[in-house]
Amino acid sequence: MKLHFILLALTGLAGAADTAPKISGIWMMGQSLCDGSESLPIVTSEDTGWGNLTFQRGVRTWLAKDNSATPELRPAELFKLVPLRAQTNGGLGETVANGMADHWQSARFGNDKARATQSPSRFLVAYAGQGGRQIQELSIADLSTDPRTPESRRHGGGYYRTSLDDARRAMAQAKTMGANFRIAALYWMQGEGNGGPTGSLVPTRWDAELPRPAGLAWYRDQLIAYRKQWSADLCAITGQGGELPMFTYQTLGPAGEAQLMAADADQNIWLVGPHYAVPSAINSRTKPDRHGDPIHLSADGERWWGEQVGKVMHRVLDRNEDWQPLRPRSAKLATDRASILLDFTVPHPPLVLDTTFLARQEIATKDGFTSLAGFRVHDSSGKPLTLTAVEVIASTQVRLRLSQSLPADKSCRISYGHPYAVALGVIASVRAGPEQSADLVLTTSVSAKLKPLLAEGAFFVVNLSGPPTRVAIRAVREVNGVTVLQYEPGELRNGVPFQPGQPLVVQRSFSYGNLRDSDPTPSIHTFADTTYGTRAGQPYPLWNWCVLFSDLSAD
């Protein structure tokens, strides 16, 4: 069990009865998902009324070619405190800031906006990273300025230095207001930048990829060291004692498992969970004729994920919960060796296999599935085993059923979180569509299969014969009993067109699974973008989805 000691008077998390003005910082660091890359158009363009703050400069305080390496020289007038809202800066849009701070503020005051705005306590959010950065480029070492770093990736450095100077600016602003400033929490959103080509991690842009076990251990240790250094340096500025808590998402990639390892090893790191349930930036429109990359998040995705983070910050720092994400505790092979029983740590039981909100993840074979609801099983030789069913059998337990009993001389391991790749049908014809779009006319009707994907927004289709190509499908309709898929020709991969007769497979942006808990916590924001999906106006569901994992051995 983690032990954390939060002195409310130091962190600025005292309740509404304390009338002393308090500004509590949430200091963020990370890469593109943290800076809102392609999360456009923004959905929080105005003050939300929860009383939270940002610098006049904006949440993103590090700006290329604007004293990036010398943040102390940034103009003081840009650090006046203003209401927190999203701002657009080129291809950068919505961040997690409003969802995170607004949800935390709401939770502290019972979702009573009047009480929250009358309270002397406010959150101030600042972020000093940049998209595409590796962990040691964001650290005090600042390897982004190393001559071995490719010139195209040298943008002046100074990320860590900027974060520290932001704390000094916040202290100065609080002093002029007669308020106290302390940092309440750190938020980390980096890991993709250290992903290697074969599923492990690379320490730098010039080092070789590490073997997977060594790579996971390396990133774990780097993240723990980063938190300790960042905490110590910020506390030296603010005068706080103790350690600052860090919260992190789970990266979709090898760093995600290392982040979970770091949370297990450091009592001051808390893994919120994976973000695979939120919509990706293929739903964004960054320019009139361009959408975002599938690795990034849409504006609603950023704000939704921010609420998840704010929820967990509140539970840990205000309620003193010993938070754990939804994760496996054990796996046991049945005596007949034909099924596996998985037991989970569940934040809010019971478990749910949700194939309505997210399409059922599957990769099918003629005898069953090599991947089902996110789960995959391999034997000790590396051979994938065929699954026939995944069942919730108790509030914290799942059973995986195998098509055949595992031989006595074999062991097995389980992984969770895999791509969605489902056969969709065959192209009957390709034709011009409405408003400069194009249509793929299928030979059958598959709209029912696509319903959960359409609720999210856009999805991909790829061909299984002929020159390989892929495109995002942005609308679906039924015509004369068959399904018609609408796309934008400019989005064809490498401009390669589809051809009649080609079989199609449908794909979702993120690897994922369907296992979640039953957390009923309400969101304070709702889906706002009306240009994609069918969820506009609905609240963000704040269920906790199962973490991604691999190599879980079955006893």
Side-chain angles (χ1 to χ4, degrees):
M1 178 178 292
K2 288 189 176 186
L3 297 176
H4 56 280
F5 304 94
I6 308 299
L7 299 178
L8 299 184
L10 289 178
T11 59
L13 294 176
D18 187 344
T19 58
K22 296 181 184 299
I23 300 172
S24 300
I26 306 176
W27 254 225
M28 305 197 301
M29 185 62 78
Q31 51 181 113
S32 57
L33 270 64
C34 207
D35 70 12
S37 288
E38 300 183 317
S39 302
L40 294 163
I42 60 175
V43 291
T44 319
S45 58
E46 303 295 336
D47 178 8
T48 60
W50 285 102
N52 295 311
L53 304 168
T54 187
F55 294 121
Q56 184 172 311
R57 186 180 182 87
V59 169
R60 292 178 286 265
T61 59
W62 182 95
L63 299 174
K65 300 179 182 179
D66 184 2
N67 293 298
S68 53
T70 53
E72 301 83 3
L73 301 181
R74 295 174 296 175
E77 60 269 18
L78 295 181
F79 288 89
K80 295 177 182 178
L81 302 187
V82 299
L84 176 63
R85 62 180 181 85
Q87 295 174 288
T88 300
N89 183 356
L92 308 180
E94 190 87 19
T95 71
V96 298
N98 269 101
M100 177 174 60
D102 290 350
H103 187 95
W104 193 357
Q105 185 79 330
S106 168
R108 291 166 63 194
F109 293 96
N111 201 28
D112 187 332
K113 188 175 286 189
R115 286 182 61 214
T117 55
Q118 291 166 10
S119 165
S121 297
R122 300 283 188 272
F123 287 113
L124 169 65
V125 188
Y127 163 76
Q130 186 192 27
R133 287 297 164 196
Q134 297 183 332
I135 187 169
Q136 292 192 90
E137 295 174 344
L138 297 173
S139 74
I140 193 171
D142 202 355
L143 292 189
S144 67
T145 62
D146 190 289
R148 290 171 292 181
T149 295
E151 189 172 351
S152 62
R153 297 302 302 160
R154 290 187 226 159
H155 297 156
Y159 312 103
Y160 187 85
R161 185 172 169 179
T162 296
S163 182
L164 301 188
D165 189 62
D166 289 344
R168 297 186 190 98
R169 304 301 185 116
M171 291 287 288
Q173 289 297 317
K175 184 177 180 180
T176 65
M177 299 165 61
N180 295 319
F181 173 75
R182 296 293 185 268
I183 292 177
L186 309 174
Y187 178 57
W188 181 259
M189 211 169 186
Q190 188 277 342
E192 296 90 348
N194 287 96
T198 67
S200 185
L201 292 136
V202 291
T204 69
R205 297 187 188 276
W206 51 87
D207 285 325
E209 184 177 13
L210 296 170
R212 186 175 175 85
L216 296 179
W218 173 85
Y219 190 92
R220 173 201 63 200
D221 295 344
Q222 287 290 317
L223 186 57
I224 292 171
Y226 194 113
R227 186 208 62 78
K228 290 180 177 179
Q229 180 77 55
W230 200 16
S231 173
D233 290 345
L234 289 171
C235 285
I237 293 169
T238 63
Q240 293 171 248
E243 300 275 352
L244 296 180
M246 175 192 278
F247 297 80
T248 178
Y249 73 152
Q250 188 186 35
T251 304
L252 299 177
E257 292 190 51
Q259 289 158 347
L260 187 58
M261 291 164 60
D264 288 341
D266 185 335
Q267 66 177 8
N268 292 296
I269 295 179
W270 308 84
L271 189 135
V272 174
H275 68 271
Y276 56 68
V278 310
S280 88
I282 65 169
N283 297 293
S284 298
R285 189 171 287 278
T286 58
K287 295 179 180 179
D289 60 346
R290 189 181 187 282
H291 298 277
D293 190 278
I295 196 174
H296 297 146
L297 306 183
S298 71
D300 266 316
E302 288 277 346
R303 190 168 68 177
W304 175 9
W305 180 248
E307 289 217 41
Q308 283 281 66
V309 177
K311 178 189 77 175
V312 175
M313 288 177 170
H314 168 66
R315 291 184 181 179
V316 171
L317 300 179
D318 294 338
R319 292 185 179 178
N320 204 35
E321 285 188 16
D322 188 39
W323 169 262
Q324 285 287 333
L326 174 51
R327 61 186 299 187
R329 283 190 293 213
S330 64
K332 294 183 179 180
L333 192 63
T335 54
D336 65 359
R337 303 179 69 81
S339 67
I340 302 166
L341 180 67
L342 291 151
D343 189 56
F344 290 84
T345 295
V346 185
H348 199 293
L351 287 171
V352 175
L353 275 173
D354 192 333
T355 57
T356 300
F357 190 81
L358 294 181
R360 186 177 77 167
Q361 187 280 332
E362 61 182 70
I363 298 178
T365 67
K366 63 179 182 178
D367 300 317
F369 303 89
T370 57
S371 180
L372 182 60
F375 293 94
R376 185 175 291 177
V377 183
H378 287 82
D379 69 16
S380 48
S381 70
K383 176 185 175 182
L385 303 182
T386 301
L387 293 167
T388 59
V390 177
E391 306 160 343
V392 173
I393 63 167
S395 62
T396 65
Q397 293 182 328
V398 168
R399 187 176 298 282
L400 311 181
R401 296 196 179 275
L402 307 177
S403 63
Q404 296 180 340
S405 296
L406 183 70
D409 62 340
K410 300 288 187 183
S411 59
C412 66
R413 65 186 191 276
I414 304 98
S415 60
Y416 175 86
H418 294 285
Y420 177 85
V422 175
L424 192 61
V426 176
I427 301 173
S429 64
V430 182
R431 67 188 188 193
E435 298 181 0
Q436 299 182 324
S437 67
D439 287 341
L440 299 176
V441 181
L442 304 186
T443 58
T444 58
S445 175
V446 295
S447 293
K449 182 185 294 187
L450 296 174
K451 186 176 180 180
L453 294 171
L454 287 169
E456 286 191 75
F459 55 88
F460 290 112
V461 293
V462 299
N463 58 345
L464 295 180
S465 66
T469 190
R470 183 183 79 170
V471 77
I473 299 302
R474 304 204 171 274
V476 176
R477 62 189 189 276
E478 290 289 305
V479 178
N480 297 325
V482 299
T483 299
V484 178
L485 309 176
Q486 184 177 317
Y487 66 96
E488 298 175 11
E491 292 191 277
L492 286 166
R493 176 181 281 175
N494 300 322
V496 177
F498 288 92
Q499 301 293 337
Q502 291 178 331
L504 295 179
V505 165
V506 61
Q507 297 178 337
R508 186 175 178 268
S509 292
F510 302 135
S511 294
Y512 72 107
N514 295 96
L515 190 65
R516 64 165 175 85
D517 75 351
S518 299
D519 193 332
T521 303
S523 67
I524 60 169
H525 295 294
T526 60
F527 288 95
D529 195 325
T530 60
T531 62
Y532 66 90
T534 61
R535 295 175 179 159
Q538 298 177 18
Y540 302 137
L542 299 185
W543 304 311
N544 302 294
W545 296 84
C546 185
V547 301
L548 307 170
F549 61 87
S550 64
D551 296 327
L552 176 66
S553 296
D555 296 333

